[in-house]
PDB file of all heavy atoms in Angstrom:
ATOM      1  N   ARG A 811       0.841  -1.198   0.000  1.00  0.00           N
ATOM      2  CA  ARG A 811       0.000   0.000   0.000  1.00  0.00           C
ATOM      3  C   ARG A 811       0.875   1.246   0.000  1.00  0.00           C
ATOM      4  O   ARG A 811       1.827   1.337   0.778  1.00  0.00           O
ATOM      5  CB  ARG A 811      -0.890   0.047   1.251  1.00  0.00           C
ATOM      6  CG  ARG A 811      -1.970  -1.019   1.301  1.00  0.00           C
ATOM      7  CD  ARG A 811      -1.514  -2.300   1.964  1.00  0.00           C
ATOM      8  NE  ARG A 811      -1.240  -2.134   3.394  1.00  0.00           N
ATOM      9  CZ  ARG A 811      -0.491  -2.959   4.107  1.00  0.00           C
ATOM     10  NH1 ARG A 811       0.116  -4.005   3.533  1.00  0.00           N
ATOM     11  NH2 ARG A 811      -0.317  -2.746   5.400  1.00  0.00           N
ATOM     12  N   LEU A 812       0.537   2.191  -0.860  1.00  0.00           N
ATOM     13  CA  LEU A 812       1.209   3.489  -0.885  1.00  0.00           C
ATOM     14  C   LEU A 812       0.193   4.565  -0.540  1.00  0.00           C
ATOM     15  O   LEU A 812      -0.892   4.613  -1.127  1.00  0.00           O
ATOM     16  CB  LEU A 812       1.834   3.762  -2.253  1.00  0.00           C
ATOM     17  CG  LEU A 812       2.603   5.086  -2.403  1.00  0.00           C
ATOM     18  CD1 LEU A 812       3.797   4.903  -3.353  1.00  0.00           C
ATOM     19  CD2 LEU A 812       1.713   6.219  -2.923  1.00  0.00           C
ATOM     20  N   ALA A 813       0.539   5.425   0.420  1.00  0.00           N
ATOM     21  CA  ALA A 813      -0.306   6.557   0.799  1.00  0.00           C
ATOM     22  C   ALA A 813       0.343   7.842   0.307  1.00  0.00           C
ATOM     23  O   ALA A 813       1.487   8.141   0.657  1.00  0.00           O
ATOM     24  CB  ALA A 813      -0.494   6.601   2.313  1.00  0.00           C
ATOM     25  N   PHE A 814      -0.377   8.594  -0.513  1.00  0.00           N
ATOM     26  CA  PHE A 814       0.122   9.816  -1.147  1.00  0.00           C
ATOM     27  C   PHE A 814      -0.493  11.009  -0.425  1.00  0.00           C
ATOM     28  O   PHE A 814      -1.716  11.147  -0.369  1.00  0.00           O
ATOM     29  CB  PHE A 814      -0.285   9.808  -2.622  1.00  0.00           C
ATOM     30  CG  PHE A 814       0.310  10.921  -3.440  1.00  0.00           C
ATOM     31  CD1 PHE A 814       1.636  10.885  -3.829  1.00  0.00           C
ATOM     32  CD2 PHE A 814      -0.476  11.996  -3.832  1.00  0.00           C
ATOM     33  CE1 PHE A 814       2.185  11.902  -4.602  1.00  0.00           C
ATOM     34  CE2 PHE A 814       0.057  13.013  -4.603  1.00  0.00           C
ATOM     35  CZ  PHE A 814       1.391  12.971  -4.982  1.00  0.00           C
ATOM     36  N   TYR A 815       0.354  11.871   0.141  1.00  0.00           N
ATOM     37  CA  TYR A 815      -0.203  12.969   0.941  1.00  0.00           C
ATOM     38  C   TYR A 815       0.441  14.320   0.656  1.00  0.00           C
ATOM     39  O   TYR A 815       0.253  15.286   1.415  1.00  0.00           O
ATOM     40  CB  TYR A 815      -0.098  12.634   2.436  1.00  0.00           C
ATOM     41  CG  TYR A 815       1.297  12.605   3.006  1.00  0.00           C
ATOM     42  CD1 TYR A 815       1.799  13.676   3.734  1.00  0.00           C
ATOM     43  CD2 TYR A 815       2.127  11.499   2.820  1.00  0.00           C
ATOM     44  CE1 TYR A 815       3.078  13.652   4.265  1.00  0.00           C
ATOM     45  CE2 TYR A 815       3.401  11.462   3.346  1.00  0.00           C
ATOM     46  CZ  TYR A 815       3.872  12.543   4.068  1.00  0.00           C
ATOM     47  OH  TYR A 815       5.151  12.511   4.588  1.00  0.00           O
ATOM     48  N   GLY A 816       1.157  14.434  -0.449  1.00  0.00           N
ATOM     49  CA  GLY A 816       1.750  15.716  -0.805  1.00  0.00           C
ATOM     50  C   GLY A 816       2.508  15.608  -2.103  1.00  0.00           C
ATOM     51  O   GLY A 816       2.700  14.506  -2.645  1.00  0.00           O
ATOM     52  N   MET A 817       2.927  16.766  -2.625  1.00  0.00           N
ATOM     53  CA  MET A 817       3.664  16.782  -3.891  1.00  0.00           C
ATOM     54  C   MET A 817       4.695  17.912  -3.821  1.00  0.00           C
ATOM     55  O   MET A 817       4.612  18.922  -4.518  1.00  0.00           O
ATOM     56  CB  MET A 817       2.711  16.983  -5.061  1.00  0.00           C
ATOM     57  CG  MET A 817       3.267  16.580  -6.397  1.00  0.00           C
ATOM     58  SD  MET A 817       1.973  16.425  -7.656  1.00  0.00           S
ATOM     59  CE  MET A 817       1.287  18.081  -7.663  1.00  0.00           C
ATOM     60  N   ALA A 818       5.681  17.728  -2.922  1.00  0.00           N
ATOM     61  CA  ALA A 818       6.653  18.784  -2.655  1.00  0.00           C
ATOM     62  C   ALA A 818       7.448  19.177  -3.888  1.00  0.00           C
ATOM     63  O   ALA A 818       7.882  20.326  -4.017  1.00  0.00           O
ATOM     64  CB  ALA A 818       7.604  18.348  -1.540  1.00  0.00           C
ATOM     65  N   SER A 819       7.641  18.244  -4.819  1.00  0.00           N
ATOM     66  CA  SER A 819       8.407  18.538  -6.028  1.00  0.00           C
ATOM     67  C   SER A 819       7.615  19.362  -7.033  1.00  0.00           C
ATOM     68  O   SER A 819       8.160  19.872  -8.002  1.00  0.00           O
ATOM     69  CB  SER A 819       8.843  17.238  -6.704  1.00  0.00           C
ATOM     70  OG  SER A 819       7.726  16.566  -7.247  1.00  0.00           O
ATOM     71  N   ARG A 820       6.305  19.510  -6.779  1.00  0.00           N
ATOM     72  CA  ARG A 820       5.386  20.172  -7.723  1.00  0.00           C
ATOM     73  C   ARG A 820       5.319  19.423  -9.057  1.00  0.00           C
ATOM     74  O   ARG A 820       4.890  19.975 -10.059  1.00  0.00           O
ATOM     75  CB  ARG A 820       5.805  21.610  -7.982  1.00  0.00           C
ATOM     76  CG  ARG A 820       5.138  22.685  -7.131  1.00  0.00           C
ATOM     77  CD  ARG A 820       5.568  22.691  -5.705  1.00  0.00           C
ATOM     78  NE  ARG A 820       5.035  23.876  -4.994  1.00  0.00           N
ATOM     79  CZ  ARG A 820       5.208  24.099  -3.706  1.00  0.00           C
ATOM     80  NH1 ARG A 820       5.900  23.219  -2.983  1.00  0.00           N
ATOM     81  NH2 ARG A 820       4.712  25.161  -3.140  1.00  0.00           N
ATOM     82  N   LYS A 821       5.707  18.129  -9.077  1.00  0.00           N
ATOM     83  CA  LYS A 821       5.663  17.334 -10.295  1.00  0.00           C
ATOM     84  C   LYS A 821       4.656  16.201 -10.126  1.00  0.00           C
ATOM     85  O   LYS A 821       4.718  15.446  -9.152  1.00  0.00           O
ATOM     86  CB  LYS A 821       7.047  16.760 -10.609  1.00  0.00           C
ATOM     87  CG  LYS A 821       8.089  17.827 -10.926  1.00  0.00           C
ATOM     88  CD  LYS A 821       9.452  17.206 -11.190  1.00  0.00           C
ATOM     89  CE  LYS A 821      10.489  18.279 -11.485  1.00  0.00           C
ATOM     90  NZ  LYS A 821      11.847  17.711 -11.697  1.00  0.00           N
ATOM     91  N   GLU A 822       3.747  16.082 -11.075  1.00  0.00           N
ATOM     92  CA  GLU A 822       2.730  15.033 -11.019  1.00  0.00           C
ATOM     93  C   GLU A 822       3.350  13.653 -11.257  1.00  0.00           C
ATOM     94  O   GLU A 822       4.196  13.503 -12.145  1.00  0.00           O
ATOM     95  CB  GLU A 822       1.663  15.284 -12.087  1.00  0.00           C
ATOM     96  CG  GLU A 822       0.763  16.469 -11.816  1.00  0.00           C
ATOM     97  CD  GLU A 822      -0.427  16.102 -10.948  1.00  0.00           C
ATOM     98  OE1 GLU A 822      -0.556  14.904 -10.591  1.00  0.00           O
ATOM     99  OE2 GLU A 822      -1.206  17.004 -10.625  1.00  0.00           O
ATOM    100  N   PRO A 823       2.934  12.652 -10.492  1.00  0.00           N
ATOM    101  CA  PRO A 823       3.332  11.282 -10.824  1.00  0.00           C
ATOM    102  C   PRO A 823       2.638  10.830 -12.106  1.00  0.00           C
ATOM    103  O   PRO A 823       1.717  11.487 -12.601  1.00  0.00           O
ATOM    104  CB  PRO A 823       2.834  10.466  -9.619  1.00  0.00           C
ATOM    105  CG  PRO A 823       2.470  11.462  -8.573  1.00  0.00           C
ATOM    106  CD  PRO A 823       2.111  12.726  -9.277  1.00  0.00           C
ATOM    107  N   SER A 824       3.077   9.697 -12.637  1.00  0.00           N
ATOM    108  CA  SER A 824       2.407   9.130 -13.800  1.00  0.00           C
ATOM    109  C   SER A 824       1.001   8.668 -13.421  1.00  0.00           C
ATOM    110  O   SER A 824       0.757   8.260 -12.276  1.00  0.00           O
ATOM    111  CB  SER A 824       3.198   7.937 -14.338  1.00  0.00           C
ATOM    112  OG  SER A 824       4.501   8.335 -14.736  1.00  0.00           O
ATOM    113  N   PRO A 825       0.057   8.715 -14.358  1.00  0.00           N
ATOM    114  CA  PRO A 825      -1.293   8.215 -14.056  1.00  0.00           C
ATOM    115  C   PRO A 825      -1.249   6.743 -13.649  1.00  0.00           C
ATOM    116  O   PRO A 825      -0.437   5.970 -14.158  1.00  0.00           O
ATOM    117  CB  PRO A 825      -2.038   8.409 -15.384  1.00  0.00           C
ATOM    118  CG  PRO A 825      -1.274   9.473 -16.107  1.00  0.00           C
ATOM    119  CD  PRO A 825       0.161   9.273 -15.720  1.00  0.00           C
ATOM    120  N   VAL A 826      -2.132   6.373 -12.747  1.00  0.00           N
ATOM    121  CA  VAL A 826      -2.197   4.989 -12.269  1.00  0.00           C
ATOM    122  C   VAL A 826      -3.387   4.300 -12.924  1.00  0.00           C
ATOM    123  O   VAL A 826      -4.521   4.784 -12.863  1.00  0.00           O
ATOM    124  CB  VAL A 826      -2.339   4.946 -10.733  1.00  0.00           C
ATOM    125  CG1 VAL A 826      -2.504   3.502 -10.266  1.00  0.00           C
ATOM    126  CG2 VAL A 826      -1.138   5.595 -10.065  1.00  0.00           C
ATOM    127  N   ARG A 827      -3.138   3.163 -13.554  1.00  0.00           N
ATOM    128  CA  ARG A 827      -4.198   2.397 -14.205  1.00  0.00           C
ATOM    129  C   ARG A 827      -4.726   1.333 -13.239  1.00  0.00           C
ATOM    130  O   ARG A 827      -3.952   0.571 -12.665  1.00  0.00           O
ATOM    131  CB  ARG A 827      -3.678   1.723 -15.472  1.00  0.00           C
ATOM    132  CG  ARG A 827      -3.240   2.699 -16.558  1.00  0.00           C
ATOM    133  CD  ARG A 827      -2.776   1.970 -17.818  1.00  0.00           C
ATOM    134  NE  ARG A 827      -1.622   1.092 -17.559  1.00  0.00           N
ATOM    135  CZ  ARG A 827      -1.664  -0.217 -17.516  1.00  0.00           C
ATOM    136  NH1 ARG A 827      -2.808  -0.851 -17.706  1.00  0.00           N
ATOM    137  NH2 ARG A 827      -0.584  -0.934 -17.292  1.00  0.00           N
ATOM    138  N   PRO A 828      -6.050   1.275 -13.044  1.00  0.00           N
ATOM    139  CA  PRO A 828      -6.604   0.253 -12.148  1.00  0.00           C
ATOM    140  C   PRO A 828      -6.158  -1.165 -12.496  1.00  0.00           C
ATOM    141  O   PRO A 828      -5.934  -1.990 -11.595  1.00  0.00           O
ATOM    142  CB  PRO A 828      -8.123   0.427 -12.333  1.00  0.00           C
ATOM    143  CG  PRO A 828      -8.276   1.873 -12.690  1.00  0.00           C
ATOM    144  CD  PRO A 828      -7.083   2.191 -13.548  1.00  0.00           C
ATOM    145  N   ALA A 829      -6.007  -1.443 -13.776  1.00  0.00           N
ATOM    146  CA  ALA A 829      -5.573  -2.800 -14.159  1.00  0.00           C
ATOM    147  C   ALA A 829      -4.183  -3.110 -13.632  1.00  0.00           C
ATOM    148  O   ALA A 829      -3.883  -4.257 -13.265  1.00  0.00           O
ATOM    149  CB  ALA A 829      -5.599  -2.940 -15.688  1.00  0.00           C
ATOM    150  N   ALA A 830      -3.320  -2.083 -13.593  1.00  0.00           N
ATOM    151  CA  ALA A 830      -1.972  -2.292 -13.063  1.00  0.00           C
ATOM    152  C   ALA A 830      -2.024  -2.579 -11.574  1.00  0.00           C
ATOM    153  O   ALA A 830      -1.239  -3.386 -11.052  1.00  0.00           O
ATOM    154  CB  ALA A 830      -1.105  -1.065 -13.345  1.00  0.00           C
ATOM    155  N   LEU A 831      -2.947  -1.928 -10.871  1.00  0.00           N
ATOM    156  CA  LEU A 831      -3.102  -2.209  -9.441  1.00  0.00           C
ATOM    157  C   LEU A 831      -3.527  -3.655  -9.229  1.00  0.00           C
ATOM    158  O   LEU A 831      -3.021  -4.339  -8.337  1.00  0.00           O
ATOM    159  CB  LEU A 831      -4.129  -1.259  -8.821  1.00  0.00           C
ATOM    160  CG  LEU A 831      -3.818   0.230  -8.843  1.00  0.00           C
ATOM    161  CD1 LEU A 831      -4.982   1.021  -8.232  1.00  0.00           C
ATOM    162  CD2 LEU A 831      -2.529   0.532  -8.073  1.00  0.00           C
ATOM    163  N   MET A 832      -4.459  -4.100 -10.036  1.00  0.00           N
ATOM    164  CA  MET A 832      -4.952  -5.468  -9.901  1.00  0.00           C
ATOM    165  C   MET A 832      -3.858  -6.477 -10.224  1.00  0.00           C
ATOM    166  O   MET A 832      -3.713  -7.497  -9.528  1.00  0.00           O
ATOM    167  CB  MET A 832      -6.147  -5.675 -10.826  1.00  0.00           C
ATOM    168  CG  MET A 832      -6.770  -7.069 -10.732  1.00  0.00           C
ATOM    169  SD  MET A 832      -8.192  -7.247 -11.834  1.00  0.00           S
ATOM    170  CE  MET A 832      -7.409  -7.121 -13.439  1.00  0.00           C
ATOM    171  N   SER A 833      -3.072  -6.211 -11.268  1.00  0.00           N
ATOM    172  CA  SER A 833      -2.080  -7.195 -11.697  1.00  0.00           C
ATOM    173  C   SER A 833      -0.992  -7.391 -10.665  1.00  0.00           C
ATOM    174  O   SER A 833      -0.311  -8.424 -10.655  1.00  0.00           O
ATOM    175  CB  SER A 833      -1.467  -6.774 -13.033  1.00  0.00           C
ATOM    176  OG  SER A 833      -0.738  -5.570 -12.889  1.00  0.00           O
ATOM    177  N   HIS A 834      -0.808  -6.402  -9.774  1.00  0.00           N
ATOM    178  CA  HIS A 834       0.212  -6.526  -8.724  1.00  0.00           C
ATOM    179  C   HIS A 834      -0.399  -6.571  -7.322  1.00  0.00           C
ATOM    180  O   HIS A 834       0.326  -6.609  -6.330  1.00  0.00           O
ATOM    181  CB  HIS A 834       1.200  -5.363  -8.812  1.00  0.00           C
ATOM    182  CG  HIS A 834       1.983  -5.329 -10.092  1.00  0.00           C
ATOM    183  ND1 HIS A 834       2.987  -6.223 -10.383  1.00  0.00           N
ATOM    184  CD2 HIS A 834       1.881  -4.526 -11.177  1.00  0.00           C
ATOM    185  CE1 HIS A 834       3.481  -5.965 -11.581  1.00  0.00           C
ATOM    186  NE2 HIS A 834       2.824  -4.941 -12.081  1.00  0.00           N
ATOM    187  N   SER A 835      -1.746  -6.557  -7.254  1.00  0.00           N
ATOM    188  CA  SER A 835      -2.450  -6.566  -5.951  1.00  0.00           C
ATOM    189  C   SER A 835      -1.928  -5.468  -5.030  1.00  0.00           C
ATOM    190  O   SER A 835      -1.605  -5.703  -3.869  1.00  0.00           O
ATOM    191  CB  SER A 835      -2.319  -7.934  -5.277  1.00  0.00           C
ATOM    192  OG  SER A 835      -2.979  -8.924  -6.027  1.00  0.00           O
ATOM    193  N   THR A 836      -1.836  -4.262  -5.575  1.00  0.00           N
ATOM    194  CA  THR A 836      -1.347  -3.128  -4.791  1.00  0.00           C
ATOM    195  C   THR A 836      -2.443  -2.075  -4.645  1.00  0.00           C
ATOM    196  O   THR A 836      -3.428  -2.058  -5.387  1.00  0.00           O
ATOM    197  CB  THR A 836      -0.113  -2.488  -5.441  1.00  0.00           C
ATOM    198  OG1 THR A 836      -0.383  -2.211  -6.818  1.00  0.00           O
ATOM    199  CG2 THR A 836       1.088  -3.407  -5.342  1.00  0.00           C
ATOM    200  N   THR A 837      -2.233  -1.198  -3.666  1.00  0.00           N
ATOM    201  CA  THR A 837      -3.213  -0.159  -3.355  1.00  0.00           C
ATOM    202  C   THR A 837      -2.511   1.190  -3.259  1.00  0.00           C
ATOM    203  O   THR A 837      -1.431   1.292  -2.675  1.00  0.00           O
ATOM    204  CB  THR A 837      -3.907  -0.447  -2.006  1.00  0.00           C
ATOM    205  OG1 THR A 837      -4.589  -1.697  -2.080  1.00  0.00           O
ATOM    206  CG2 THR A 837      -4.895   0.648  -1.641  1.00  0.00           C
ATOM    207  N   ILE A 838      -3.128   2.230  -3.832  1.00  0.00           N
ATOM    208  CA  ILE A 838      -2.653   3.590  -3.628  1.00  0.00           C
ATOM    209  C   ILE A 838      -3.814   4.408  -3.071  1.00  0.00           C
ATOM    210  O   ILE A 838      -4.951   4.285  -3.534  1.00  0.00           O
ATOM    211  CB  ILE A 838      -2.104   4.219  -4.927  1.00  0.00           C
ATOM    212  CG1 ILE A 838      -1.558   5.625  -4.649  1.00  0.00           C
ATOM    213  CG2 ILE A 838      -3.151   4.248  -6.020  1.00  0.00           C
ATOM    214  CD1 ILE A 838      -0.757   6.213  -5.793  1.00  0.00           C
ATOM    215  N   SER A 839      -3.528   5.185  -2.041  1.00  0.00           N
ATOM    216  CA  SER A 839      -4.564   6.019  -1.432  1.00  0.00           C
ATOM    217  C   SER A 839      -4.034   7.433  -1.259  1.00  0.00           C
ATOM    218  O   SER A 839      -2.822   7.669  -1.279  1.00  0.00           O
ATOM    219  CB  SER A 839      -5.000   5.452  -0.075  1.00  0.00           C
ATOM    220  OG  SER A 839      -3.927   5.509   0.851  1.00  0.00           O
ATOM    221  N   GLY A 840      -4.944   8.361  -1.089  1.00  0.00           N
ATOM    222  CA  GLY A 840      -4.574   9.742  -0.819  1.00  0.00           C
ATOM    223  C   GLY A 840      -5.025  10.127   0.574  1.00  0.00           C
ATOM    224  O   GLY A 840      -5.949   9.534   1.140  1.00  0.00           O
ATOM    225  N   MET A 841      -4.378  11.135   1.134  1.00  0.00           N
ATOM    226  CA  MET A 841      -4.778  11.604   2.459  1.00  0.00           C
ATOM    227  C   MET A 841      -4.660  13.117   2.542  1.00  0.00           C
ATOM    228  O   MET A 841      -3.615  13.690   2.260  1.00  0.00           O
ATOM    229  CB  MET A 841      -3.900  10.957   3.540  1.00  0.00           C
ATOM    230  CG  MET A 841      -4.469  11.087   4.973  1.00  0.00           C
ATOM    231  SD  MET A 841      -4.284  12.703   5.757  1.00  0.00           S
ATOM    232  CE  MET A 841      -2.520  12.715   6.104  1.00  0.00           C
ATOM    233  N   TRP A 842      -5.772  13.762   2.885  1.00  0.00           N
ATOM    234  CA  TRP A 842      -5.819  15.179   3.227  1.00  0.00           C
ATOM    235  C   TRP A 842      -6.427  15.252   4.613  1.00  0.00           C
ATOM    236  O   TRP A 842      -7.540  14.791   4.838  1.00  0.00           O
ATOM    237  CB  TRP A 842      -6.655  15.958   2.212  1.00  0.00           C
ATOM    238  CG  TRP A 842      -6.633  17.444   2.408  1.00  0.00           C
ATOM    239  CD1 TRP A 842      -5.651  18.182   2.988  1.00  0.00           C
ATOM    240  CD2 TRP A 842      -7.647  18.367   2.013  1.00  0.00           C
ATOM    241  NE1 TRP A 842      -5.985  19.516   2.987  1.00  0.00           N
ATOM    242  CE2 TRP A 842      -7.208  19.654   2.384  1.00  0.00           C
ATOM    243  CE3 TRP A 842      -8.891  18.234   1.376  1.00  0.00           C
ATOM    244  CZ2 TRP A 842      -7.965  20.804   2.157  1.00  0.00           C
ATOM    245  CZ3 TRP A 842      -9.625  19.377   1.137  1.00  0.00           C
ATOM    246  CH2 TRP A 842      -9.167  20.645   1.519  1.00  0.00           C
ATOM    247  N   LEU A 843      -5.683  15.798   5.560  1.00  0.00           N
ATOM    248  CA  LEU A 843      -6.090  15.741   6.964  1.00  0.00           C
ATOM    249  C   LEU A 843      -7.468  16.355   7.200  1.00  0.00           C
ATOM    250  O   LEU A 843      -8.182  15.942   8.117  1.00  0.00           O
ATOM    251  CB  LEU A 843      -5.039  16.439   7.840  1.00  0.00           C
ATOM    252  CG  LEU A 843      -5.174  16.220   9.348  1.00  0.00           C
ATOM    253  CD1 LEU A 843      -5.007  14.748   9.706  1.00  0.00           C
ATOM    254  CD2 LEU A 843      -4.149  17.061  10.113  1.00  0.00           C
ATOM    255  N   ALA A 844      -7.865  17.311   6.375  1.00  0.00           N
ATOM    256  CA  ALA A 844      -9.169  17.957   6.560  1.00  0.00           C
ATOM    257  C   ALA A 844     -10.316  16.948   6.535  1.00  0.00           C
ATOM    258  O   ALA A 844     -11.354  17.151   7.194  1.00  0.00           O
ATOM    259  CB  ALA A 844      -9.383  19.020   5.482  1.00  0.00           C
ATOM    260  N   HIS A 845     -10.153  15.849   5.806  1.00  0.00           N
ATOM    261  CA  HIS A 845     -11.233  14.865   5.710  1.00  0.00           C
ATOM    262  C   HIS A 845     -11.415  14.049   6.983  1.00  0.00           C
ATOM    263  O   HIS A 845     -12.448  13.385   7.146  1.00  0.00           O
ATOM    264  CB  HIS A 845     -10.967  13.932   4.524  1.00  0.00           C
ATOM    265  CG  HIS A 845     -11.124  14.601   3.195  1.00  0.00           C
ATOM    266  ND1 HIS A 845     -10.273  14.376   2.144  1.00  0.00           N
ATOM    267  CD2 HIS A 845     -12.026  15.520   2.766  1.00  0.00           C
ATOM    268  CE1 HIS A 845     -10.650  15.114   1.110  1.00  0.00           C
ATOM    269  NE2 HIS A 845     -11.693  15.822   1.465  1.00  0.00           N
ATOM    270  N   VAL A 846     -10.435  14.096   7.879  1.00  0.00           N
ATOM    271  CA  VAL A 846     -10.560  13.369   9.151  1.00  0.00           C
ATOM    272  C   VAL A 846     -11.780  13.849   9.926  1.00  0.00           C
ATOM    273  O   VAL A 846     -12.445  13.078  10.625  1.00  0.00           O
ATOM    274  CB  VAL A 846      -9.274  13.530   9.987  1.00  0.00           C
ATOM    275  CG1 VAL A 846      -9.478  13.057  11.416  1.00  0.00           C
ATOM    276  CG2 VAL A 846      -8.140  12.750   9.340  1.00  0.00           C
ATOM    277  N   PHE A 847     -12.099  15.134   9.773  1.00  0.00           N
ATOM    278  CA  PHE A 847     -13.203  15.701  10.553  1.00  0.00           C
ATOM    279  C   PHE A 847     -14.569  15.295  10.017  1.00  0.00           C
ATOM    280  O   PHE A 847     -15.589  15.605  10.630  1.00  0.00           O
ATOM    281  CB  PHE A 847     -13.060  17.224  10.594  1.00  0.00           C
ATOM    282  CG  PHE A 847     -11.764  17.662  11.206  1.00  0.00           C
ATOM    283  CD1 PHE A 847     -10.703  18.060  10.402  1.00  0.00           C
ATOM    284  CD2 PHE A 847     -11.571  17.617  12.576  1.00  0.00           C
ATOM    285  CE1 PHE A 847      -9.483  18.435  10.955  1.00  0.00           C
ATOM    286  CE2 PHE A 847     -10.360  17.988  13.135  1.00  0.00           C
ATOM    287  CZ  PHE A 847      -9.324  18.391  12.328  1.00  0.00           C
ATOM    288  N   GLN A 848     -14.608  14.592   8.898  1.00  0.00           N
ATOM    289  CA  GLN A 848     -15.862  14.069   8.364  1.00  0.00           C
ATOM    290  C   GLN A 848     -16.123  12.635   8.806  1.00  0.00           C
ATOM    291  O   GLN A 848     -17.173  12.082   8.510  1.00  0.00           O
ATOM    292  CB  GLN A 848     -15.840  14.147   6.833  1.00  0.00           C
ATOM    293  CG  GLN A 848     -15.695  15.561   6.287  1.00  0.00           C
ATOM    294  CD  GLN A 848     -15.597  15.591   4.771  1.00  0.00           C
ATOM    295  OE1 GLN A 848     -15.976  14.636   4.095  1.00  0.00           O
ATOM    296  NE2 GLN A 848     -15.086  16.688   4.228  1.00  0.00           N
ATOM    297  N   LEU A 849     -15.160  12.042   9.517  1.00  0.00           N
ATOM    298  CA  LEU A 849     -15.317  10.663   9.978  1.00  0.00           C
ATOM    299  C   LEU A 849     -16.181  10.616  11.237  1.00  0.00           C
ATOM    300  O   LEU A 849     -16.192  11.561  12.030  1.00  0.00           O
ATOM    301  CB  LEU A 849     -13.950  10.056  10.286  1.00  0.00           C
ATOM    302  CG  LEU A 849     -12.988   9.882   9.105  1.00  0.00           C
ATOM    303  CD1 LEU A 849     -11.623   9.424   9.595  1.00  0.00           C
ATOM    304  CD2 LEU A 849     -13.553   8.887   8.102  1.00  0.00           C
ATOM    305  N   PRO A 850     -16.906   9.541  11.438  1.00  0.00           N
ATOM    306  CA  PRO A 850     -17.673   9.401  12.679  1.00  0.00           C
ATOM    307  C   PRO A 850     -16.742   9.271  13.883  1.00  0.00           C
ATOM    308  O   PRO A 850     -15.651   8.701  13.784  1.00  0.00           O
ATOM    309  CB  PRO A 850     -18.474   8.113  12.458  1.00  0.00           C
ATOM    310  CG  PRO A 850     -17.713   7.355  11.418  1.00  0.00           C
ATOM    311  CD  PRO A 850     -17.088   8.389  10.542  1.00  0.00           C
TER     312      PRO A 850
END
């Protein structure tokens, strides 16, 4: 699992294809702390 939470280089990563995630059984997620306050 990879958690993406910033882009200090100001450079976009390559697009991620869902099929590539499936073929390697990997997960990528994003995190913005502001969304924590929407959790129960």
Side-chain angles (χ1 to χ4, degrees):
R811 292 89 67 200
L812 181 146
F814 187 75
Y815 69 101
M817 199 165 60
S819 69
R820 265 71 172 177
K821 295 178 181 178
E822 289 273 358
S824 299
V826 176
R827 296 182 299 107
L831 298 178
M832 182 179 66
S833 65
H834 297 287
S835 295
T836 51
T837 299
I838 183 169
S839 65
M841 195 283 288
W842 186 26
L843 192 62
H845 290 139
V846 168
F847 301 101
Q848 299 177 19
L849 295 173

